[in-house]
Amino acid sequence: MIKKPSGHIRLTSHPSRGRPHKYPIDWGASTARGRGPVIGSTTGRDHRNVIGAHGGAYSIYRALAVSSGALDPNLRPDLHGTHPLIDIGPYDQWMAKETIVSLDPWGHRVAADFLEAIHGGLDVRPTIAITKAHLMLPEVREAIELGRLAEDGVVVRPGGEVGVIKAAIDPVWHLPGVAERFSVTETELRRTLFEETAGMYPELVTRPDLQVFLPPIGGTTLYIFGDPAAIHDPARPLTCRIHDECNGSDVFGSDICTCRPYLTHGVEECIRTAQAGGAGLIVYNRKEGRALGEVTKFLVYNARKRQPGGDQAETYFARTECVAGVQDARFQQLMPDALHWLGITRVDRLISMSNLKYDALVDAGIEVGERVPLPPELVPQDAMVEIAAKKAAGYFTPSDASSQGESPPLVVGRDIKDY
């Protein structure tokens, strides 16, 4: 058993009354050292310059491990050999204070940029990790068997194995920037975060000098197909699927929605673009149940199925609002940050029917070419209600593209009403 620390340790305090922090953060600086380290660890408590703790929602599990005596709270990670397997950045977007506000663009370079400080005792930890992996999806093997994809030996290897680069991103919020993105004051944002977490983070209201928050939420995983250099090269095609987590469909294949079909369709299109000399990108956000959670999602399922006449498109989103008070809590304003981190200025093919996602990208200065809807043959029978509801709610349809002067979508002559 590891001996736990004894005595009361005070983590919160009142405002610094104008005294500069030992490790200030200059958000939007042109270098990692100029910006300063993001220190959310608890081993050097006087070094902390953020609100919250590393690991997002997993910080609670760390607390359980410490509480049970299984983890030494003073243990510092050995970062030797953990550096990214490919280089990403820096890009111009990293230096614009207002462009990236929900992640630390320098978060994958910690072990190199702050090597001397770490050796000197500063507990700085990465908030982004980059590695390589292989994907094996039955839908990819089926696409190969049907002749839609080919095993080229580079992107798709024999047997349907797909090589990808993966990046895991923990959320790091610059509170002034997040507030501006949502058109609220920083004071209002801080107070609401404090109240709606039942006072879990008192520094939100007692430490206005701390402007960076590590929220206890899920992060984002990026899957890059093909040459990563093509991602930020506007001269080479880029296909992108922005996907918000749906565990029941993505992992277990539940057919009540189109989430896994759209995800795997996005993977197929990313592979096709990578094989054509461009790159593909899947942005996978942990926002289960439209960021309302799986409990709320299942409650809504029950309510929809029990209403007179069964599940209906007309009441699809209304039942969610009855249970949760809002139809959708994902709010895509922060989503483009991950694309800015990759240096992306244009997406040639956006695999999405969501106007919210499209508008968020365009409003963030990212050009979008073709918008690709889900082919009707990929829609499960039980998901027809979802498709009809999305059409009624104003989701993108192929007819929208022609009226906007965009290039023709993948599925021509079919509207969502035909699904």
Side-chain angles (χ1 to χ4, degrees), residues 67-120:
S67 178
S68 66
L71 176 64
D72 182 353
N74 297 311
L75 181 69
R76 302 190 178 195
D78 179 1
L79 299 178
H80 178 73
T82 64
H83 57 280
L85 295 184
I86 68 162
D87 291 328
I88 289 182
Y91 301 113
D92 290 342
Q93 292 100 314
W94 295 17
M95 292 59 158
K97 181 178 291 188
E98 72 284 351
T99 302
I100 297 178
V101 300
S102 64
L103 61 89
D104 174 10
W106 307 95
H108 57 303
R109 300 164 48 117
V110 164
D113 289 335
F114 298 104
L115 180 62
E116 293 182 6
I118 291 172
H119 286 168

Side-chain angles (χ1 to χ4, degrees), residues 19 42 47 57 87 100 105 110 147 151 204 217 228 231 244 261 269 287 291 316 332 339 374 392:
R19 294 191 301 274
T42 58
H47 296 165
D87 291 328
I100 297 178
V110 164
E151 295 176 350
L204 286 166
I217 59 175
I231 284 279
D244 294 329
E269 293 303 314
K287 298 178 181 178
Y316 187 91
Q332 301 293 345
L339 282 75
L374 181 65

Side-chain angles (χ1 to χ4, degrees), residues 267-318:
V267 169
E268 182 175 337
E269 293 303 314
C270 284
I271 292 171
R272 186 172 291 112
T273 303
Q275 290 180 327
L281 172 67
I282 301 291
V283 180
Y284 195 89
N285 299 303
R286 297 323 191 281
K287 298 178 181 178
E288 179 65 61
R290 299 195 181 121
L292 298 169
E294 230 175 13
V295 169
T296 295
K297 178 195 257 187
F298 290 3
L299 292 174
V300 172
Y301 282 170
N302 291 344
R304 281 173 27 207
K305 293 175 181 179
R306 285 174 172 151
Q307 62 189 352
D311 203 0
Q312 303 167 40
E314 295 78 8
T315 57
Y316 187 91
F317 293 111

